[in-house]
PDB file of all heavy atoms in Angstrom:
ATOM      1  N   GLY Y 164     -38.510 -44.014-106.384  1.00 94.00           N
ATOM      2  CA  GLY Y 164     -38.025 -44.455-107.686  1.00 94.00           C
ATOM      3  C   GLY Y 164     -37.575 -45.905-107.747  1.00 94.00           C
ATOM      4  O   GLY Y 164     -37.146 -46.375-108.797  1.00 94.00           O
ATOM      5  N   PHE Y 165     -37.670 -46.622-106.634  1.00 95.00           N
ATOM      6  CA  PHE Y 165     -37.296 -48.037-106.637  1.00 95.00           C
ATOM      7  C   PHE Y 165     -38.360 -48.852-107.362  1.00 95.00           C
ATOM      8  O   PHE Y 165     -39.545 -48.520-107.301  1.00 95.00           O
ATOM      9  CB  PHE Y 165     -37.147 -48.560-105.202  1.00 95.00           C
ATOM     10  CG  PHE Y 165     -35.888 -48.114-104.532  1.00 95.00           C
ATOM     11  CD1 PHE Y 165     -35.837 -46.913-103.842  1.00 95.00           C
ATOM     12  CD2 PHE Y 165     -34.744 -48.895-104.588  1.00 95.00           C
ATOM     13  CE1 PHE Y 165     -34.677 -46.500-103.215  1.00 95.00           C
ATOM     14  CE2 PHE Y 165     -33.576 -48.487-103.961  1.00 95.00           C
ATOM     15  CZ  PHE Y 165     -33.541 -47.278-103.274  1.00 95.00           C
ATOM     16  N   ARG Y 166     -37.924 -49.920-108.024  1.00 95.00           N
ATOM     17  CA  ARG Y 166     -38.839 -50.868-108.663  1.00 95.00           C
ATOM     18  C   ARG Y 166     -38.243 -52.262-108.527  1.00 95.00           C
ATOM     19  O   ARG Y 166     -37.058 -52.399-108.215  1.00 95.00           O
ATOM     20  CB  ARG Y 166     -39.091 -50.487-110.102  1.00 95.00           C
ATOM     21  CG  ARG Y 166     -37.861 -50.467-110.972  1.00 95.00           C
ATOM     22  CD  ARG Y 166     -38.248 -49.938-112.341  1.00 95.00           C
ATOM     23  NE  ARG Y 166     -37.173 -50.112-113.274  1.00 95.00           N
ATOM     24  CZ  ARG Y 166     -36.822 -49.204-114.159  1.00 95.00           C
ATOM     25  NH1 ARG Y 166     -37.450 -48.064-114.217  1.00 95.00           N
ATOM     26  NH2 ARG Y 166     -35.859 -49.449-115.002  1.00 95.00           N
ATOM     27  N   PRO Y 167     -39.028 -53.300-108.736  1.00 96.00           N
ATOM     28  CA  PRO Y 167     -38.474 -54.646-108.599  1.00 96.00           C
ATOM     29  C   PRO Y 167     -37.191 -54.799-109.432  1.00 96.00           C
ATOM     30  O   PRO Y 167     -37.158 -54.454-110.615  1.00 96.00           O
ATOM     31  CB  PRO Y 167     -39.592 -55.548-109.109  1.00 96.00           C
ATOM     32  CG  PRO Y 167     -40.840 -54.778-108.802  1.00 96.00           C
ATOM     33  CD  PRO Y 167     -40.466 -53.337-109.066  1.00 96.00           C
ATOM     34  N   ALA Y 168     -36.145 -55.282-108.794  1.00 95.00           N
ATOM     35  CA  ALA Y 168     -34.847 -55.425-109.460  1.00 95.00           C
ATOM     36  C   ALA Y 168     -34.938 -56.366-110.656  1.00 95.00           C
ATOM     37  O   ALA Y 168     -34.204 -56.212-111.634  1.00 95.00           O
ATOM     38  CB  ALA Y 168     -33.800 -55.913-108.467  1.00 95.00           C
ATOM     39  N   SER Y 169     -35.850 -57.311-110.600  1.00 96.00           N
ATOM     40  CA  SER Y 169     -35.991 -58.264-111.702  1.00 96.00           C
ATOM     41  C   SER Y 169     -36.356 -57.555-113.004  1.00 96.00           C
ATOM     42  O   SER Y 169     -36.009 -58.027-114.088  1.00 96.00           O
ATOM     43  CB  SER Y 169     -37.049 -59.313-111.356  1.00 96.00           C
ATOM     44  OG  SER Y 169     -38.314 -58.692-111.191  1.00 96.00           O
ATOM     45  N   GLN Y 170     -37.036 -56.415-112.912  1.00 95.00           N
ATOM     46  CA  GLN Y 170     -37.375 -55.646-114.113  1.00 95.00           C
ATOM     47  C   GLN Y 170     -36.126 -55.114-114.812  1.00 95.00           C
ATOM     48  O   GLN Y 170     -36.176 -54.758-115.987  1.00 95.00           O
ATOM     49  CB  GLN Y 170     -38.306 -54.481-113.768  1.00 95.00           C
ATOM     50  CG  GLN Y 170     -39.671 -54.901-113.302  1.00 95.00           C
ATOM     51  CD  GLN Y 170     -40.532 -53.716-112.903  1.00 95.00           C
ATOM     52  OE1 GLN Y 170     -40.140 -52.553-113.005  1.00 95.00           O
ATOM     53  NE2 GLN Y 170     -41.736 -54.006-112.427  1.00 95.00           N
ATOM     54  N   LEU Y 171     -35.022 -55.066-114.079  1.00 94.00           N
ATOM     55  CA  LEU Y 171     -33.755 -54.597-114.638  1.00 94.00           C
ATOM     56  C   LEU Y 171     -32.800 -55.752-114.914  1.00 94.00           C
ATOM     57  O   LEU Y 171     -31.626 -55.531-115.208  1.00 94.00           O
ATOM     58  CB  LEU Y 171     -33.102 -53.598-113.672  1.00 94.00           C
ATOM     59  CG  LEU Y 171     -33.951 -52.371-113.338  1.00 94.00           C
ATOM     60  CD1 LEU Y 171     -33.324 -51.579-112.209  1.00 94.00           C
ATOM     61  CD2 LEU Y 171     -34.137 -51.511-114.564  1.00 94.00           C
ATOM     62  N   GLY Y 172     -33.295 -56.977-114.789  1.00 93.00           N
ATOM     63  CA  GLY Y 172     -32.444 -58.144-115.027  1.00 93.00           C
ATOM     64  C   GLY Y 172     -31.544 -58.487-113.870  1.00 93.00           C
ATOM     65  O   GLY Y 172     -30.538 -59.170-114.033  1.00 93.00           O
ATOM     66  N   ILE Y 173     -31.903 -58.037-112.670  1.00 94.00           N
ATOM     67  CA  ILE Y 173     -31.104 -58.287-111.467  1.00 94.00           C
ATOM     68  C   ILE Y 173     -31.877 -59.229-110.561  1.00 94.00           C
ATOM     69  O   ILE Y 173     -32.991 -58.912-110.114  1.00 94.00           O
ATOM     70  CB  ILE Y 173     -30.780 -56.966-110.743  1.00 94.00           C
ATOM     71  CG1 ILE Y 173     -29.964 -56.059-111.674  1.00 94.00           C
ATOM     72  CG2 ILE Y 173     -30.042 -57.233-109.435  1.00 94.00           C
ATOM     73  CD1 ILE Y 173     -29.753 -54.662-111.131  1.00 94.00           C
ATOM     74  N   ALA Y 174     -31.283 -60.381-110.283  1.00 95.00           N
ATOM     75  CA  ALA Y 174     -31.924 -61.399-109.445  1.00 95.00           C
ATOM     76  C   ALA Y 174     -31.488 -61.239-107.993  1.00 95.00           C
ATOM     77  O   ALA Y 174     -30.334 -60.913-107.703  1.00 95.00           O
ATOM     78  CB  ALA Y 174     -31.568 -62.790-109.951  1.00 95.00           C
ATOM     79  N   ALA Y 175     -32.407 -61.482-107.086  1.00 93.00           N
ATOM     80  CA  ALA Y 175     -32.133 -61.404-105.651  1.00 93.00           C
ATOM     81  C   ALA Y 175     -31.110 -62.460-105.238  1.00 93.00           C
ATOM     82  O   ALA Y 175     -30.982 -63.500-105.887  1.00 93.00           O
ATOM     83  CB  ALA Y 175     -33.429 -61.605-104.871  1.00 93.00           C
ATOM     84  N   PRO Y 176     -30.398 -62.217-104.142  1.00 90.00           N
ATOM     85  CA  PRO Y 176     -29.418 -63.197-103.679  1.00 90.00           C
ATOM     86  C   PRO Y 176     -30.051 -64.508-103.243  1.00 90.00           C
ATOM     87  O   PRO Y 176     -29.432 -65.553-103.309  1.00 90.00           O
ATOM     88  CB  PRO Y 176     -28.727 -62.505-102.512  1.00 90.00           C
ATOM     89  CG  PRO Y 176     -29.622 -61.392-102.118  1.00 90.00           C
ATOM     90  CD  PRO Y 176     -30.441 -61.034-103.310  1.00 90.00           C
ATOM     91  N   ASP Y 177     -31.298 -64.441-102.808  1.00 89.00           N
ATOM     92  CA  ASP Y 177     -32.033 -65.626-102.391  1.00 89.00           C
ATOM     93  C   ASP Y 177     -33.251 -65.771-103.292  1.00 89.00           C
ATOM     94  O   ASP Y 177     -34.138 -64.910-103.292  1.00 89.00           O
ATOM     95  CB  ASP Y 177     -32.469 -65.470-100.929  1.00 89.00           C
ATOM     96  CG  ASP Y 177     -33.259 -66.646-100.398  1.00 89.00           C
ATOM     97  OD1 ASP Y 177     -33.640 -67.543-101.188  1.00 89.00           O
ATOM     98  OD2 ASP Y 177     -33.519 -66.657 -99.187  1.00 89.00           O
ATOM     99  N   PRO Y 178     -33.322 -66.843-104.076  1.00 89.00           N
ATOM    100  CA  PRO Y 178     -34.454 -67.002-104.988  1.00 89.00           C
ATOM    101  C   PRO Y 178     -35.804 -67.088-104.282  1.00 89.00           C
ATOM    102  O   PRO Y 178     -36.846 -66.929-104.914  1.00 89.00           O
ATOM    103  CB  PRO Y 178     -34.156 -68.298-105.733  1.00 89.00           C
ATOM    104  CG  PRO Y 178     -32.861 -68.797-105.262  1.00 89.00           C
ATOM    105  CD  PRO Y 178     -32.366 -67.915-104.161  1.00 89.00           C
ATOM    106  N   GLU Y 179     -35.801 -67.311-102.977  1.00 90.00           N
ATOM    107  CA  GLU Y 179     -37.051 -67.381-102.214  1.00 90.00           C
ATOM    108  C   GLU Y 179     -37.628 -66.002-101.884  1.00 90.00           C
ATOM    109  O   GLU Y 179     -38.769 -65.898-101.449  1.00 90.00           O
ATOM    110  CB  GLU Y 179     -36.821 -68.156-100.915  1.00 90.00           C
ATOM    111  CG  GLU Y 179     -36.374 -69.592-101.125  1.00 90.00           C
ATOM    112  CD  GLU Y 179     -37.449 -70.435-101.793  1.00 90.00           C
ATOM    113  OE1 GLU Y 179     -38.627 -70.323-101.403  1.00 90.00           O
ATOM    114  OE2 GLU Y 179     -37.108 -71.189-102.726  1.00 90.00           O
ATOM    115  N   LEU Y 180     -36.832 -64.943-102.071  1.00 88.00           N
ATOM    116  CA  LEU Y 180     -37.330 -63.600-101.769  1.00 88.00           C
ATOM    117  C   LEU Y 180     -38.426 -63.220-102.758  1.00 88.00           C
ATOM    118  O   LEU Y 180     -38.261 -63.380-103.964  1.00 88.00           O
ATOM    119  CB  LEU Y 180     -36.201 -62.567-101.878  1.00 88.00           C
ATOM    120  CG  LEU Y 180     -35.201 -62.519-100.742  1.00 88.00           C
ATOM    121  CD1 LEU Y 180     -34.067 -61.564-101.078  1.00 88.00           C
ATOM    122  CD2 LEU Y 180     -35.889 -62.097 -99.457  1.00 88.00           C
ATOM    123  N   PRO Y 181     -39.530 -62.689-102.261  1.00 91.00           N
ATOM    124  CA  PRO Y 181     -40.582 -62.233-103.172  1.00 91.00           C
ATOM    125  C   PRO Y 181     -40.062 -61.103-104.070  1.00 91.00           C
ATOM    126  O   PRO Y 181     -39.345 -60.211-103.612  1.00 91.00           O
ATOM    127  CB  PRO Y 181     -41.676 -61.717-102.235  1.00 91.00           C
ATOM    128  CG  PRO Y 181     -41.395 -62.357-100.921  1.00 91.00           C
ATOM    129  CD  PRO Y 181     -39.904 -62.555-100.859  1.00 91.00           C
ATOM    130  N   ASP Y 182     -40.421 -61.151-105.314  1.00 92.00           N
ATOM    131  CA  ASP Y 182     -39.954 -60.185-106.304  1.00 92.00           C
ATOM    132  C   ASP Y 182     -40.229 -58.745-105.885  1.00 92.00           C
ATOM    133  O   ASP Y 182     -39.404 -57.858-106.084  1.00 92.00           O
ATOM    134  CB  ASP Y 182     -40.633 -60.497-107.648  1.00 92.00           C
ATOM    135  CG  ASP Y 182     -39.985 -59.783-108.804  1.00 92.00           C
ATOM    136  OD1 ASP Y 182     -38.748 -59.835-108.916  1.00 92.00           O
ATOM    137  OD2 ASP Y 182     -40.718 -59.167-109.588  1.00 92.00           O
ATOM    138  N   GLU Y 183     -41.371 -58.500-105.277  1.00 94.00           N
ATOM    139  CA  GLU Y 183     -41.767 -57.124-104.971  1.00 94.00           C
ATOM    140  C   GLU Y 183     -40.994 -56.495-103.817  1.00 94.00           C
ATOM    141  O   GLU Y 183     -41.068 -55.284-103.609  1.00 94.00           O
ATOM    142  CB  GLU Y 183     -43.277 -57.037-104.701  1.00 94.00           C
ATOM    143  CG  GLU Y 183     -43.743 -57.735-103.447  1.00 94.00           C
ATOM    144  CD  GLU Y 183     -44.072 -59.213-103.645  1.00 94.00           C
ATOM    145  OE1 GLU Y 183     -43.815 -59.762-104.739  1.00 94.00           O
ATOM    146  OE2 GLU Y 183     -44.581 -59.823-102.699  1.00 94.00           O
ATOM    147  N   VAL Y 184     -40.221 -57.273-103.054  1.00 92.00           N
ATOM    148  CA  VAL Y 184     -39.482 -56.690-101.931  1.00 92.00           C
ATOM    149  C   VAL Y 184     -38.001 -56.477-102.225  1.00 92.00           C
ATOM    150  O   VAL Y 184     -37.323 -55.802-101.466  1.00 92.00           O
ATOM    151  CB  VAL Y 184     -39.632 -57.527-100.634  1.00 92.00           C
ATOM    152  CG1 VAL Y 184     -41.090 -57.653-100.241  1.00 92.00           C
ATOM    153  CG2 VAL Y 184     -38.968 -58.870-100.738  1.00 92.00           C
ATOM    154  N   PHE Y 185     -37.492 -57.033-103.323  1.00 93.00           N
ATOM    155  CA  PHE Y 185     -36.096 -56.810-103.696  1.00 93.00           C
ATOM    156  C   PHE Y 185     -36.082 -55.818-104.849  1.00 93.00           C
ATOM    157  O   PHE Y 185     -36.436 -56.140-105.972  1.00 93.00           O
ATOM    158  CB  PHE Y 185     -35.405 -58.121-104.086  1.00 93.00           C
ATOM    159  CG  PHE Y 185     -33.930 -57.952-104.307  1.00 93.00           C
ATOM    160  CD1 PHE Y 185     -33.095 -57.654-103.248  1.00 93.00           C
ATOM    161  CD2 PHE Y 185     -33.390 -58.060-105.573  1.00 93.00           C
ATOM    162  CE1 PHE Y 185     -31.733 -57.480-103.437  1.00 93.00           C
ATOM    163  CE2 PHE Y 185     -32.029 -57.887-105.779  1.00 93.00           C
ATOM    164  CZ  PHE Y 185     -31.204 -57.590-104.708  1.00 93.00           C
ATOM    165  N   MET Y 186     -35.691 -54.577-104.525  1.00 94.00           N
ATOM    166  CA  MET Y 186     -35.848 -53.473-105.471  1.00 94.00           C
ATOM    167  C   MET Y 186     -34.522 -52.799-105.794  1.00 94.00           C
ATOM    168  O   MET Y 186     -33.558 -52.895-105.037  1.00 94.00           O
ATOM    169  CB  MET Y 186     -36.814 -52.448-104.893  1.00 94.00           C
ATOM    170  CG  MET Y 186     -38.233 -52.963-104.759  1.00 94.00           C
ATOM    171  SD  MET Y 186     -39.298 -51.838-103.853  1.00 94.00           S
ATOM    172  CE  MET Y 186     -39.015 -52.428-102.181  1.00 94.00           C
ATOM    173  N   ALA Y 187     -34.515 -52.110-106.923  1.00 94.00           N
ATOM    174  CA  ALA Y 187     -33.345 -51.372-107.388  1.00 94.00           C
ATOM    175  C   ALA Y 187     -33.756 -49.958-107.761  1.00 94.00           C
ATOM    176  O   ALA Y 187     -34.899 -49.705-108.146  1.00 94.00           O
ATOM    177  CB  ALA Y 187     -32.731 -52.062-108.602  1.00 94.00           C
ATOM    178  N   LEU Y 188     -32.804 -49.062-107.650  1.00 93.00           N
ATOM    179  CA  LEU Y 188     -32.987 -47.681-108.084  1.00 93.00           C
ATOM    180  C   LEU Y 188     -31.927 -47.397-109.137  1.00 93.00           C
ATOM    181  O   LEU Y 188     -30.752 -47.271-108.806  1.00 93.00           O
ATOM    182  CB  LEU Y 188     -32.837 -46.709-106.911  1.00 93.00           C
ATOM    183  CG  LEU Y 188     -32.895 -45.229-107.259  1.00 93.00           C
ATOM    184  CD1 LEU Y 188     -34.288 -44.853-107.749  1.00 93.00           C
ATOM    185  CD2 LEU Y 188     -32.507 -44.392-106.065  1.00 93.00           C
ATOM    186  N   PRO Y 189     -32.310 -47.345-110.401  1.00 91.00           N
ATOM    187  CA  PRO Y 189     -31.318 -47.046-111.438  1.00 91.00           C
ATOM    188  C   PRO Y 189     -30.821 -45.604-111.311  1.00 91.00           C
ATOM    189  O   PRO Y 189     -31.623 -44.683-111.235  1.00 91.00           O
ATOM    190  CB  PRO Y 189     -32.079 -47.242-112.753  1.00 91.00           C
ATOM    191  CG  PRO Y 189     -33.398 -47.808-112.402  1.00 91.00           C
ATOM    192  CD  PRO Y 189     -33.634 -47.567-110.946  1.00 91.00           C
ATOM    193  N   LEU Y 190     -29.515 -45.446-111.260  1.00 89.00           N
ATOM    194  CA  LEU Y 190     -28.926 -44.114-111.175  1.00 89.00           C
ATOM    195  C   LEU Y 190     -28.689 -43.561-112.574  1.00 89.00           C
ATOM    196  O   LEU Y 190     -28.866 -44.253-113.577  1.00 89.00           O
ATOM    197  CB  LEU Y 190     -27.613 -44.189-110.396  1.00 89.00           C
ATOM    198  CG  LEU Y 190     -27.736 -44.699-108.958  1.00 89.00           C
ATOM    199  CD1 LEU Y 190     -26.365 -44.781-108.304  1.00 89.00           C
ATOM    200  CD2 LEU Y 190     -28.657 -43.817-108.140  1.00 89.00           C
ATOM    201  N   GLN Y 191     -28.242 -42.331-112.648  1.00 89.00           N
ATOM    202  CA  GLN Y 191     -28.006 -41.689-113.937  1.00 89.00           C
ATOM    203  C   GLN Y 191     -27.009 -42.477-114.782  1.00 89.00           C
ATOM    204  O   GLN Y 191     -27.152 -42.559-115.993  1.00 89.00           O
ATOM    205  CB  GLN Y 191     -27.506 -40.265-113.718  1.00 89.00           C
ATOM    206  CG  GLN Y 191     -27.361 -39.473-114.999  1.00 89.00           C
ATOM    207  CD  GLN Y 191     -26.979 -38.036-114.731  1.00 89.00           C
ATOM    208  OE1 GLN Y 191     -26.736 -37.652-113.593  1.00 89.00           O
ATOM    209  NE2 GLN Y 191     -26.919 -37.245-115.769  1.00 89.00           N
ATOM    210  N   SER Y 192     -26.022 -43.084-114.152  1.00 88.00           N
ATOM    211  CA  SER Y 192     -25.004 -43.825-114.892  1.00 88.00           C
ATOM    212  C   SER Y 192     -25.380 -45.301-115.092  1.00 88.00           C
ATOM    213  O   SER Y 192     -24.548 -46.107-115.481  1.00 88.00           O
ATOM    214  CB  SER Y 192     -23.657 -43.729-114.178  1.00 88.00           C
ATOM    215  OG  SER Y 192     -23.759 -44.305-112.886  1.00 88.00           O
TER     216      SER Y 192
END
């Protein structure tokens, strides 16, 4: 269920990280 965090408006701590490797899993809340 993880997807690129950028799709949720969350930017990686390092702007050099490729978008596809920094992911988020939105929880129920």
Side-chain angles (χ1 to χ4, degrees):
F165 285 88
R166 61 186 190 221
S169 63
Q170 293 177 2
L171 302 170
I173 299 172
D177 179 351
E179 299 294 316
L180 284 173
D182 194 49
E183 67 273 7
V184 302
F185 187 68
M186 293 171 271
L188 175 67
L190 300 178
Q191 186 175 5
S192 61

